[in-house]
């Protein structure tokens, strides 16, 4: 996952490059290192280097990395002829290379030749079953064709091999949520929280899924994860504060008429409501009355 500092540095360099302040190669290297897809910029400025023989020769062995980077960017931008030219150069330099073969399969995918691309990717996986890029391209290709069931299948097979890939777990969770398969999505977020317990985004998403599932136990657990989100963000998650209030209201409805010991302390929801009102006073005072009305409707 790219940090905020890294993202800011990329944006700074991007602005510098666009304003003619130099740093093109530094920018391209950083984008490549962080595995970002700034395809328009990479295509434009990568080609400016590749089309200049002096700049290209000054790169040394990195010239071939840049050809690969520009080829992928060109496919993203549907500049198929540019991608073909880059791949041809790499084919001549590295005949029989599996890495170049992967680019050839990706080119078939970019051209919409799904069957040919699938056969090419399958052949690559037969030779190397642990090629992460090829596995991910199959997922992307299934999604591009609108075949969500196949995308889920490929992601699950990928995660059987690469269980530590947080982005893959997150992608699978988001697909499940889009299909209203909330129990499966909850499992994915549990895996993410186990492996990265200090990432508030996962706590928040897990709480949202549990709240949507409903039921007393799920609501109580959702409330705990909204609270952990607030803790991890230093109280700056408006969505989590709202989540506490919504869970409290729903739990109150489900426990109405029960013994007092079955009910929860009102302290947390009161603090959440106060924090929301303070936040709205500072950032959206014109909406404060709407917030107050909403909180009253929840009987908070």
């Amino acid at each position: 996952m790219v940090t905020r500092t890294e993202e800011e540095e990329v944006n700074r360099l991007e602005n510098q490059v666009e304003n003619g302040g130099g740093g093109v190669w530094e920018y391209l290297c950083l984008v490549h290192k962080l595995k970002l897809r700034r395809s328009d910029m990479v295509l434009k400025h990568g080609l400016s280097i590749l089309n200049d023989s002096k700049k290209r020769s000054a790169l040394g062995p990195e010239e071939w990395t840049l050809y690969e980077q520009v080829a992928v960017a060109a496919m993203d931008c549907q500049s198929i002829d540019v991608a073909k030219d880059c791949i041809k150069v790499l084919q001549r330099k590295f005949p029989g290379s599996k890495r170049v073969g992967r680019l050839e399969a990706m080119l078939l995918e970019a051209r919409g030749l799904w069957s040919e691309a699938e056969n090419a990717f399958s052949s690559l996986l037969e030779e190397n079953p642990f090629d992460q890029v090829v596995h991910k391209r199959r997922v992307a290709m299934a999604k591009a064709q609108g075949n969500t069931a196949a995308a889920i299948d490929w992601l699950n097979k990928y995660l059987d091999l690469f269980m530590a890939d947080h982005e893959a777990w997150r992608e699978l969770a988001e697909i499940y949520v889009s299909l209203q398969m909330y129990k499966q999505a909850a499992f994915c977020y549990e895996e993410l929280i186990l492996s990265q317990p200090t990432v508030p985004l996962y706590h928040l998403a897990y709480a949202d899924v549990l709240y949507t599932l409903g039921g007393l136990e799920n609501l109580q657990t959702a409330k705990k994860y909204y609270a952990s989100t607030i803790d991890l963000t230093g109280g700056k998650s408006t969505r989590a504060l709202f989540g506490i209030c919504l869970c409290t209201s729903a739990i109150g409805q489900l426990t109405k008429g029960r013994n007092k010991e079955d009910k929860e302390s009102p302290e947390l929801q009161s603090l959440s409501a106060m924090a929301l009102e303070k936040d709205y006073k500072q950032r959206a005072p014109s909406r404060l009355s709407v917030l107050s009305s909403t909180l009253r409707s929840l009987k908070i």
Side-chain angles (χ1 to χ4, degrees), residues 107-296:
L107 182 60
L108 293 170
E109 178 191 349
R111 293 171 59 194
L113 302 174
W114 308 118
S115 179
E116 292 90 333
E118 174 59 33
N119 290 336
F121 285 134
S122 295
S123 296
L124 289 167
L125 285 176
E126 286 178 7
E127 296 175 13
N128 180 12
F130 299 100
D131 189 324
Q132 286 183 273
V133 174
V134 172
H135 279 286
K136 288 182 176 182
R137 291 318 312 164
R138 292 181 107 175
V139 174
M141 193 163 66
K143 290 172 72 175
Q145 295 176 82
N147 192 345
T148 308
I152 289 173
D153 185 45
W154 289 126
L155 269 172
N156 276 304
K157 288 178 179 177
Y158 171 81
L159 286 165
D160 284 341
L161 296 173
F162 306 102
M163 293 187 67
D165 191 325
H166 308 127
E167 290 302 317
W169 279 113
R170 183 178 172 184
E171 183 177 4
L172 183 57
E174 289 173 353
I175 292 174
Y176 281 139
V177 168
S178 72
L179 297 174
Q180 300 181 17
M181 299 171 69
Y182 298 116
K183 289 184 179 180
Q184 292 86 340
F187 176 81
C188 296
Y189 286 122
E190 287 166 1
E191 290 290 328
L192 285 165
I193 291 169
L194 281 171
S195 60
Q196 290 189 304
T198 60
V199 178
L201 176 66
Y202 301 151
H203 289 249
L204 181 60
Y206 183 50
D208 284 344
V209 167
L210 292 175
Y211 175 79
T212 305
L213 280 169
L216 183 57
E217 185 177 347
N218 284 330
L219 289 168
Q220 289 171 333
T221 306
K223 188 174 178 180
K224 291 176 183 177
Y225 278 91
Y226 281 129
S228 65
T229 303
I230 293 167
D231 184 46
L232 289 168
T233 59
K236 294 180 180 179
S237 175
T238 302
R239 186 165 160 183
L241 291 168
F242 265 120
I244 292 287
C245 297
L246 290 169
C247 285
T248 299
S249 178
I251 291 169
Q253 291 294 318
L254 290 175
T255 58
K256 188 180 293 185
R258 296 191 183 185
N259 295 329
K260 286 185 177 180
E261 49 267 27
D262 291 336
K263 297 182 179 180
E264 297 186 333
S265 167
E267 183 180 359
L268 181 58
Q269 55 263 34
S270 297
L271 290 171
S272 298
M274 289 170 59
L276 279 170
E277 289 175 337
K278 181 180 178 181
D279 188 37
Y280 269 64
K281 283 178 184 177
Q282 293 176 344
R283 292 168 34 177
S286 64
R287 308 295 295 171
L288 182 58
S289 61
V290 177
L291 171 68
S292 299
S293 175
T294 301
L295 294 176
R296 281 196 301 272

Side-chain angles (χ1 to χ4, degrees), residues 92-112:
R92 287 196 296 269
K93 178 65 179 177
F94 305 103
S97 164
K98 299 296 180 278
R99 188 162 170 172
V100 177
R102 192 166 63 196
L103 288 174
E104 293 168 354
M106 290 170 65
L107 182 60
L108 293 170
E109 178 191 349
R111 293 171 59 194

